């Protein structure tokens, strides 16, 4: 197997598919621009949903990229050999162009010829079929024709071989997954029957080819899509680990420099009980660097809250490694340097990233001190020699005290902590937040109803009006649209006066009354910026971007969709303004 570096693997993948007619697109930002239903981009296909549903992509029907992704559902599992929050997904797409034969053949060629994975170590799985869709004999036949014998082709149901929709509704379909057998005994004791679906981890899934030919509807039915797409995703971290024979993704060159830095700073080795803490710090600092580079700052809401959580968790684990001074800003700079070639935005924003992390460290230190005072107060109320699970969880939730820290402080005073009670409170809380997360997802991706489309256009008008009234320092920091309202976060240091709010509202309503056409152009990002278009969380759609202009009032790079004329919007009304963090304000508004 070829022992490529991370950057070599990224390039090899892109070059392979470019040679087969695919246009390279740049990674979309980690923060979905017009998808109110999720906080982060979770898969390579996520920013492409409008195109999978039929909107023509400016760069054609064959695309390839390396997409920045973030998944927070497994955050508490980070620390083992494989779980990550941030990861990179290599992907190639056919938007109504080629289908199973080409996709599978190219996957096989890339794995065996470019990566030189011995064919006898490859295992694949296909969809077994059910009431919604037939058994995928076609994919299995293609695998056999390429030389994978039937005994290495498995059929599983929806729980393994069906992908999507990413939300409640949207494009989805059967998939075929590729595994590399890494050897060793089955740790689940299933030696004779162990197969790629086993959780022992001997079969490492490296790639997933999804054949998106269905659209899941609100009613839960599967309807054929107007175009048949291919969506593939290869995990960069895992594939690298496999190529180098590591069973631990943190040993790859994506993480080792960070780990080595942590070893030097702590004087400890990447071994035994310190390994978990080092992995957590490395994963979280990498994710935080990418999130800040895409325009998010630590706060108590949405993406800002996740960022705060992972930064504080990284700080706690750095302390557990015996590091009691500020190290995260330097580690973030190291990440920016290591990843700068593939993601230039990290280098451009490296100083901001280090600065924001340093500020957050200071705030966390204060919270820790307040937590220590709260701990003393708790002790004075203690009836027996034990701190209750509820109190320990309160310290954890409010002051970021890990259970280990509370237990250690308790021990110093000859007390214990009700650890089972803590776990109970913790699990209850997780169930609640999971229910919240599901609710958030329930709207489905690409919820482009008439109402949300209108509110997208209204958001552009609001943004332009804010800049006219308050000044050019106003920048979009976040946007969230539901069918009922828009919510817009922007940079501005103080509360808006009533006059300012009224003026903003008036400007938007004037633009609506003027019934301006909403025009869209495609151009290079450089050209868009040269023309003065506003562009926020980085770039989309490779070298070509869409620019929406509304007379000389507003010009923004955006994926759309938008109404055709502003007159369609109705009456714009600001409902309220709030502060959402230092230097950040939020406006909620509706169309009546
Ligand atoms: N969407 C699929 C995945 O996330 C393939 O890209 O695995």
């Amino acid at each position: 197997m070829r022992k490529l570096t991370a950057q070599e693997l990224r390039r090899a993948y892109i070059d392979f598919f470019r040679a087969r007619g695919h246009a390279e697109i740049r990674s979309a930002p980690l923060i979905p621009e017009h998808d109110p239903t999720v906080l982060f981009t979770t898969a390579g296909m996520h920013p492409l949903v409008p195109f999978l549903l039929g909107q023509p992509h400016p760069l054609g029907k064959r695309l390839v990229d390396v997409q920045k992704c973030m998944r927070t559902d497994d955050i508490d599992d980070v620390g083992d050999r494989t779980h990550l929050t941030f990861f990179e997904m290599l992907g190639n797409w056919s938007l109504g162009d080629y289908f199973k034969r080409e996709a599978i053949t190219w996957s096989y060629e890339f794995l065996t010829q470019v990566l030189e994975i011995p064919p006898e170590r490859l295992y694949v799985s296909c969809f077994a079929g059910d009431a919604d869709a037939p058994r995928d004999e076609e994919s299995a036949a293609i695998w056999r024709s390429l030389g994978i014998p039937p005994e290495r082709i498995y059929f599983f149901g929806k729980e393994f071989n069906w992908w999507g929709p990413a939300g409640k509704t949207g494009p989805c379909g059967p998939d075929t997954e590729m595994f590399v057998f890494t050897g060793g005994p089955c740790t689940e004791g299933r030696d004779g029957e162990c197969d790629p679906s086993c959780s022992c981890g001997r079969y490492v899934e490296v790639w997933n080819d999804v054949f998106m030919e269905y659209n899941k509807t609100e009613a839960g039915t599967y309807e054929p899509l107007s175009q048949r797409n291919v969506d593939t995703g290869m995990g960069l971290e895992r594939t690298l680990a496999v190529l180098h024979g590591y069973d631990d993704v943190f040993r790859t060159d994506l993480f080792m420099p960070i780990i080595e830095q942590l070893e030097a700073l702590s004087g400890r080795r990447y071994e035994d009980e310190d390994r978990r803490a080092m992995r957590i710090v490395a994963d979280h600092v990498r994710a935080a660097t990418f999130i800040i580079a895409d325009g998010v700052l630590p706060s108590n809401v949405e993406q800002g809250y996740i960022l705060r959580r992972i930064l504080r968790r990284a700080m706690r684990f750095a302390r557990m490694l015996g590091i009691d001074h500020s190290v995260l800003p330097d580690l973030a700079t190291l990440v920016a340097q290591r990843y700068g070639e593939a993601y230039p935005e990290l280098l451009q924003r490296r100083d901001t990233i280090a600065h924001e992390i340093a500020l957050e460290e200071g705030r966390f230190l204060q919270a820790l001190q307040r937590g220590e005072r709260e701990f003393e107060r708790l002790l004075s109320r203690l009836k027996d020699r034990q701190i209750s699970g509820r109190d320990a969880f309160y310290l954890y939730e409010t002051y970021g005290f890990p259970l280990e820290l509370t237990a250690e402080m308790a021990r110093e005073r000859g007390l214990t902590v009700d650890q089972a009670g803590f776990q109970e409170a913790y699990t209850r809380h997780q169930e609640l937040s999971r229910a919240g997360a599901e609710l958030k997802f329930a709207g489905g991706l690409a919820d482009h109803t008439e109402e949300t489309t209108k509110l997208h256009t209204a958001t552009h008008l609001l943004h332009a009006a804010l800049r006219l009234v308050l000044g050019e320092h106003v920048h979009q920091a976040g946007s969230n649209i539901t069918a009922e309202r828009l919510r817009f976060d922007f940079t501005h240091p103080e509360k808006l006066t009533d006059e300012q709010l009224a003026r903003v509202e008036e400007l938007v309503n004037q633009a609506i009354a003027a019934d301006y056409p909403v025009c869209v152009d495609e151009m290079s990002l450089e050209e868009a910026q040269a023309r003065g278009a506003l562009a926020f969380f980085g770039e989309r759609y490779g070298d070509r971007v869409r620019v929406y202009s509304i007379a000389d009032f507003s010009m923004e790079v955006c994926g759309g969709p938008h109404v055709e004329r502003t007159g369609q919007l109705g009456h714009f009304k600001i409902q309220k303004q709030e502060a959402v963090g230092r230097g950040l304000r939020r406006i909620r508004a509706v169309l009546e």
Side-chain angles (χ1 to χ4, degrees):
M1 293 191 273
R2 276 180 72 197
K3 297 201 183 325
L4 302 178
T5 64
Q7 183 59 6
E8 284 166 353
L9 176 53
R10 292 187 193 103
R11 281 312 331 159
Y13 188 88
I14 299 279
D15 290 345
F16 181 86
F17 284 99
R18 278 175 56 136
R20 286 156 186 80
H22 293 64
E24 178 180 357
I25 55 174
R26 280 190 242 177
S27 174
L30 262 184
I31 321 301
E33 288 171 302
H34 287 287
D35 181 353
T37 63
V38 282
L39 293 178
F40 294 102
T41 300
T42 55
M45 59 74 75
H46 190 171
L48 294 170
V49 168
F51 310 105
L52 293 164
L53 289 173
Q55 183 180 322
H57 192 284
L59 292 186
K61 295 182 170 184
R62 295 184 181 191
L63 306 174
V64 59
D65 76 0
V66 185
Q67 174 64 47
K68 304 181 271 192
C69 300
M70 174 93 191
R71 292 185 187 171
T72 51
D73 24 348
D74 296 333
I75 211 164
D76 294 311
D77 293 325
V78 175
D80 66 8
R81 289 176 293 134
T82 52
H83 280 93
L84 299 170
T85 53
F86 171 88
F87 62 100
E88 294 170 73
M89 197 183 272
L90 305 159
N92 58 287
W93 286 272
S94 156
L95 303 170
D97 190 34
Y98 62 83
F99 207 48
K100 295 182 183 179
R101 157 79 46 196
E102 292 87 337
I104 293 176
T105 306
W106 289 334
S107 289
Y108 182 79
E109 282 175 14
F110 185 75
L111 291 173
T112 58
Q113 291 167 20
V114 180
L115 302 186
E116 296 173 8
I117 295 173
E120 62 278 11
R121 288 180 56 182
L122 277 184
Y123 287 69
V124 302
S125 63
C126 301
F127 181 55
D130 63 12
D132 299 317
R135 185 177 174 89
D136 192 2
E137 291 292 356
E138 189 186 346
S139 293
I142 299 168
W143 284 118
R144 282 195 301 273
S145 75
L146 292 167
I148 305 274
E151 63 275 16
R152 283 196 267 123
I153 302 176
Y154 290 82
F155 284 91
F156 300 123
K158 270 218 181 69
E159 68 285 13
F160 287 108
N161 282 96
W162 186 275
W163 204 88
K168 197 175 147 211
T169 61
C172 56
D175 64 43
T176 179
E177 301 189 3
M178 290 147 260
F179 302 81
V180 178
F181 184 65
T182 56
C186 171
T187 52
E188 298 288 312
R190 294 179 53 201
D191 268 323
E193 303 131 52
C194 176
D195 65 35
S197 70
C198 183
S199 49
C200 69
R202 295 194 297 169
Y203 297 88
V204 179
E205 186 208 328
V206 290
W207 206 345
N208 185 10
D209 288 357
V210 186
F211 304 114
M212 290 200 156
E213 39 178 337
Y214 297 96
N215 185 28
K216 188 173 182 189
T217 65
E218 282 285 349
T221 57
Y222 295 85
E223 289 174 356
L225 274 178
S226 58
Q227 66 184 29
R228 295 198 305 180
N229 309 296
V230 176
D231 152 35
T232 92
M234 174 189 268
L236 178 79
E237 292 81 357
R238 267 195 225 172
T239 306
L240 266 183
V242 165
L243 291 179
H244 288 264
Y246 302 140
D247 63 358
D248 173 355
V249 293
F250 292 91
R251 291 214 177 265
T252 63
D253 71 315
L254 290 165
F255 287 104
M256 225 36 218
I258 314 175
I259 300 278
E260 280 164 6
Q261 188 76 6
L262 280 169
E263 287 185 324
L265 288 164
S266 63
R268 303 192 192 180
R269 307 283 306 152
Y270 181 61
E271 275 163 12
D272 308 324
E273 73 269 23
D274 289 327
R275 200 149 46 187
R276 178 163 179 266
M278 289 190 188
R279 287 171 178 159
I280 292 174
V281 177
D283 170 85
H284 288 10
V285 85
R286 181 173 86 138
T289 305
F290 275 90
I291 295 174
I292 300 174
D294 273 349
V296 175
L297 297 180
S299 74
N300 286 330
V301 292
E302 311 220 311
Q303 289 94 350
Y305 178 65
I306 303 280
L307 173 61
R308 170 160 287 167
R309 228 177 108 193
I310 58 175
L311 276 173
R312 293 189 172 194
R313 199 151 177 260
M315 290 173 213
R316 271 164 26 200
F317 281 92
R319 279 167 78 107
M320 278 189 213
L321 288 169
I323 303 173
D324 56 7
H325 57 288
S326 158
V327 291
L328 297 191
D330 287 347
L331 290 177
T333 304
L334 181 66
V335 172
Q337 282 159 353
R338 297 286 308 180
Y339 287 76
E341 187 180 343
Y343 302 98
E345 66 272 22
L346 298 186
L347 286 179
Q348 279 158 18
R349 298 178 199 158
R350 136 176 88 178
D351 295 341
T352 311
I353 296 167
H355 178 68
E356 287 301 331
I357 293 180
L359 287 177
E360 184 62 14
E361 273 186 338
R363 288 189 286 259
F364 182 51
L365 221 59
Q366 277 182 354
L368 272 181
Q369 280 159 2
R370 283 203 303 273
E372 275 160 6
R373 282 202 293 276
E374 188 61 33
F375 181 81
E376 298 303 329
R377 265 201 291 279
L378 273 176
L379 291 195
S380 63
R381 294 200 303 265
L382 220 57
K383 298 215 177 57
D384 48 23
R385 309 289 303 158
Q386 193 178 55
I387 295 175
S388 74
R390 241 185 79 215
D391 284 342
F393 184 71
Y394 169 72
L395 287 172
Y396 169 80
E397 211 20 40
T398 314
Y399 301 102
F401 269 43
L403 179 63
E404 298 82 358
L405 181 62
T406 306
E408 201 179 293
M409 289 166 64
R411 223 175 7 252
E412 284 165 10
R413 291 168 168 80
L415 305 170
T416 56
V417 177
D418 175 8
Q419 309 224 357
F422 174 89
Q423 283 309 337
E424 217 173 277
Y426 181 83
T427 310
R428 200 164 48 239
H429 175 83
Q430 267 198 325
E431 279 161 7
L432 285 176
S433 44
R434 202 165 289 141
E438 275 161 19
L439 220 61
K440 184 150 187 65
F441 234 102
L445 279 167
D447 176 22
H448 295 325
T449 60
E450 198 186 325
E451 285 73 25
T452 58
T453 303
K454 284 183 188 171
L455 286 163
H456 278 156
T457 309
T459 301
H460 282 211
L461 294 178
L462 169 63
H463 188 193
L466 284 168
R467 288 169 64 89
L468 280 175
V469 175
L470 303 175
E472 304 259 303
H473 62 276
V474 170
H475 280 285
Q476 172 171 338
S479 160
N480 174 292
I481 290 171
T482 69
E484 285 81 36
R485 55 109 184 107
L486 67 82
R487 207 181 69 196
F488 186 71
D489 296 347
F490 57 99
T491 46
H492 184 61
E494 61 214 18
K495 194 171 172 185
L496 277 67
T497 63
D498 289 346
E499 292 74 39
Q500 286 171 330
L501 283 177
R503 181 81 188 117
V504 168
E505 221 174 58
E506 187 187 339
L507 283 172
V508 173
N509 280 315
Q510 278 170 2
I512 294 175
D515 196 21
Y516 292 131
V518 180
C519 302
V520 57
D521 276 319
E522 275 168 27
M523 58 188 82
S524 69
L525 182 69
E526 290 69 33
E527 193 182 342
Q529 281 170 335
R531 288 198 198 178
L534 300 174
F536 298 97
F537 296 135
E539 314 75 16
R540 294 192 74 170
Y541 314 146
D543 298 328
R544 307 292 292 171
V545 295
R546 288 176 156 235
V547 176
Y548 283 89
S549 342
I550 304 172
D552 57 3
F553 191 72
S554 148
M555 197 198 289
E556 266 191 47
V557 174
C558 173
H562 287 279
V563 298
E564 280 166 19
R565 302 191 72 93
T566 58
Q568 288 162 256
L569 297 186
H571 185 258
F572 174 81
K573 183 150 176 43
I574 294 178
Q575 287 190 316
K576 80 182 207 206
Q577 67 158 323
E578 300 161 77
V580 275
R582 281 170 321 110
L584 278 189
R585 309 230 30 113
R586 166 173 291 180
I587 279 184
R588 289 170 194 268
V590 292
L591 290 169
E592 301 170 326

